[in-house]
Amino acid sequence: MTIQEFRDIMATGKPVEANSPVHMMFHQLSQEALRMTAEINGRYHSPEELHLLLEKLFGRKVPQSVGLFPPFHTDCGKNTILHERVFINMGCKFQDQGGITIDEGALIGHNVVLATVNHDLDPAKRQSMSYAPIHIGKNVWIGANATVLAGVTIGDGAVVAAGAVVTKDVEPNTIVGGVPAKVIKKINKTDR
């Protein structure tokens, strides 16, 4: 199975059964991601070196304007898309099998978790998984230690407060916080 075939299958949103060919591909990709993140996190890299490592990890072009401070962790890597001027701070964890897209100018705080995977609720099928993409809009700011769950879209200009757990879509230009995250207020021009 090629990386693109994997991405295409994941884009269907269909559950993946334990021990299926797609599930086996997860294991292959996770081993590669573990190797790549160990390299990224194991020593200092110049911005140019880090950029090349990120392109290998994600299996696609990464804009030169993307910034990332290691350590960084992912258990796949091949289903993340980063746009211009994205910044990812230290300690972030991306579970990206279901697809993560981060639009231009988004800021991802320390220790943020983006999780696109869910396990089956039936204990007999617990090893089976379902996936849904996460989409983070333009100029979004996600605060430290926040978690964004599968299937969530965060609208352009939104802010996710530190420590929030986002289980539902966030409207553009809205601040959310808490567990589960709830609307705190809308952002207006006087807030900017």
Side-chain angles (χ1 to χ4, degrees):
M1 175 179 300
T2 68
I3 299 299
Q4 191 55 53
E5 288 171 335
F6 164 77
R7 290 173 179 151
D8 292 343
I9 289 168
M10 297 313 299
T12 69
K14 293 179 183 173
V16 174
E17 293 185 24
N19 302 314
S20 68
V22 178
H23 191 235
M24 293 299 101
M25 183 67 164
F26 289 166
H27 291 290
Q28 178 184 332
L29 294 175
S30 67
Q31 291 305 302
E32 183 178 339
L34 289 170
R35 183 178 56 77
M36 292 300 307
T37 55
E39 173 67 19
I40 289 167
N41 299 332
R43 66 180 180 84
Y44 172 78
H45 299 281
S46 70
E48 296 79 18
E49 291 171 330
L50 183 58
H51 182 263
L52 292 174
L53 289 169
L54 290 176
E55 287 191 338
K56 287 174 84 174
L57 174 63
F58 295 134
R60 63 178 84 223
K61 290 286 186 193
V62 173
Q64 290 287 338
S65 61
V66 166
L68 180 139
F69 285 174
F72 173 77
H73 301 279
T74 182
D75 58 359
C76 179
K78 298 299 190 254
N79 213 4
T80 294
I81 299 170
L82 303 176
H83 290 273
E84 296 285 345
R85 300 179 355 272
V86 166
F87 177 72
I88 301 166
N89 220 322
M90 294 178 190
C92 291
K93 297 170 183 72
F94 289 10
Q95 189 181 42
D96 72 323
Q97 290 91 336
I100 295 172
T101 301
I102 305 177
D103 287 338
E104 67 181 80
L107 305 174
I108 312 299
H110 288 89
N111 301 313
V112 166
V113 174
L114 304 179
T116 66
V117 179
N118 284 309
H119 288 275
D120 198 299
L121 294 178
D122 179 348
K125 297 179 182 179
R126 191 60 48 86
Q127 299 302 315
S128 295
M129 295 169 274
S130 61
Y131 305 84
I134 292 172
H135 185 175
I136 297 171
K138 295 177 184 176
N139 301 310
V140 166
W141 173 21
I142 300 180
N145 295 303
T147 299
V148 180
L149 298 182
V152 168
T153 295
I154 300 177
D156 294 350
V159 174
V160 175
V165 176
V166 185
T167 61
K168 297 178 184 173
D169 290 353
V170 176
E171 293 292 320
N173 300 309
T174 302
I175 301 172
V176 298
V179 179
K182 294 184 167 77
V183 173
I184 295 171
K185 71 178 202 171
K186 294 292 279 179
I187 299 171
N188 60 50
K189 290 184 183 190
T190 61
D191 294 325
R192 296 178 190 180

